[in-house]
Amino acid sequence: MADDERNFTNRLRAESFGSLAEQYDAYRPGYPAQLIDELAALQPARVLDIGCGTGKAAVLLAARGLDVLGVEVDVRMAAVARRHGITVEVAPFEEWDSAGRTFDLVTCGQAWHWINPARALPRVLQALNPGGMLALFWNYDVMREPAADAIEAVYRELAPELVVPADRRGTQDRPGTVSIEADGGFQTPVRVRRYESERTDTTADWIATLRTRSEYATMADERREPLLAAAAAAIDELGGTVTFDVHTYAILAHRQD
């Protein structure tokens, strides 16, 4: 991702999720069934899920009958994933030891931007069997009108650094493929798939979801709480629900044979 405040160099944000592990598990959305079904259709004998968090992707893959191993940097996030039945090894992926184990599918949902690709990609290639796939994916929410304009007004007053202008909604943070294609170990061109869905949240659920995002988790209380209170009031005035168009992007890259 282009914004340096969203990548692996910002360790305060990258490692801010553990204290909110239960909320993260309860309120963060999962991933489209179509994406998970397409990955399961590859019939991988073993799956490695990088930055598995509380198991948002791993649980869906395991439910399709796949053998999934998670790697997660935070012990509190890992503990929640284990409660869901996922085997998790706690380590930064850049330092994780595969111990000679190999996988047919390596996944990373909503976490690759917190990982140093220069150090991680060689480990992915080492862990992937020839012809195996690396799948990186992210969800991006685009709030529908009239809520979008109402929330933008709140943010312009209380948190202008978080404002996404109307002409950029739904376009920011789209993943690129340069770092993977330049590595040389993957077949090219790398594919980028897009999946469309929608989600409607109550005010309370949306605010709870925001609290699990790193930019809010690391914000000072005296700024975060008035911001979230004002945002909640704006949605309540519009009826107490907010609807999003959800764009899920997946980067799919096969290891060279």
Side-chain angles (χ1 to χ4, degrees):
M1 297 187 180
D3 183 357
D4 192 59
E5 291 303 305
R6 294 288 302 277
N7 70 22
F8 67 92
T9 63
N10 191 326
R11 299 318 301 169
L12 177 63
R13 287 180 61 178
E15 299 178 21
S16 65
F17 303 102
S19 63
L20 300 163
E22 298 293 345
Q23 297 96 311
Y24 190 104
D25 191 53
Y27 292 104
R28 281 293 185 106
Y31 300 99
Q34 183 182 358
L35 168 61
I36 300 301
D37 288 342
E38 289 174 4
L39 295 178
L42 299 171
Q43 298 184 318
R46 299 192 70 194
V47 180
L48 176 66
D49 189 33
I50 301 171
C52 75
T54 63
K56 285 293 180 178
V59 168
L60 296 174
L61 292 165
R64 268 67 169 182
L66 302 183
D67 179 8
V68 184
L69 171 66
V71 177
E72 168 55 40
V73 69
D74 191 281
V75 66
R76 296 162 294 184
M77 299 284 275
V80 177
R82 287 172 179 148
R83 287 209 312 264
H84 292 309
I86 304 301
T87 300
V88 184
E89 296 181 5
V90 177
F93 181 69
E94 299 93 329
E95 301 172 11
W96 175 72
D97 183 5
S98 68
R101 293 166 292 180
T102 58
F103 304 82
D104 300 308
L105 174 64
V106 174
T107 60
C108 184
Q110 216 75 25
W112 188 252
H113 52 289
W114 301 127
I115 297 168
N116 183 341
R119 296 179 62 195
L121 281 171
R123 291 180 182 273
V124 170
L125 288 168
Q126 184 182 48
L128 263 179
N129 289 319
M133 178 183 281
L134 170 64
L136 314 176
F137 39 93
W138 293 264
N139 290 325
Y140 300 113
D141 295 342
V142 181
M143 186 181 291
R144 291 183 182 173
E145 300 294 358
D149 281 344
I151 292 302
E152 181 177 329
V154 170
Y155 277 62
R156 286 197 179 280
E157 178 182 356
L158 299 176
E161 74 278 9
L162 297 181
V163 171
V164 177
D167 62 354
R168 290 191 61 224
R169 293 172 191 162
T171 66
Q172 75 280 10
D173 295 330
R174 287 181 180 175
T177 63
V178 174
S179 63
I180 294 175
E181 290 186 334
D183 182 86
F186 294 94
Q187 297 174 16
T188 57
V190 170
R191 289 187 296 146
V192 178
R193 293 270 280 130
R194 173 170 164 163
Y195 305 82
E196 303 293 337
S197 57
E198 66 177 55
R199 189 182 79 253
T200 298
D201 287 349
T202 64
T203 301
D205 285 350
W206 178 57
I207 295 299
T209 302
L210 291 183
R211 290 184 181 279
T212 71
R213 294 177 55 174
S214 61
E215 60 266 49
Y216 297 88
T218 57
M219 187 181 290
D221 291 352
E222 57 268 24
R223 289 199 67 213
R224 181 182 60 247
E225 297 312 313
L227 172 63
L228 294 182
I235 298 303
D236 282 342
E237 287 182 8
L238 294 172
T241 63
V242 57
T243 299
F244 301 89
D245 293 308
V246 182
H247 309 304
T248 302
Y249 290 93
I251 297 175
L252 306 173
H254 284 279
R255 185 187 186 276
Q256 293 180 358
D257 293 332

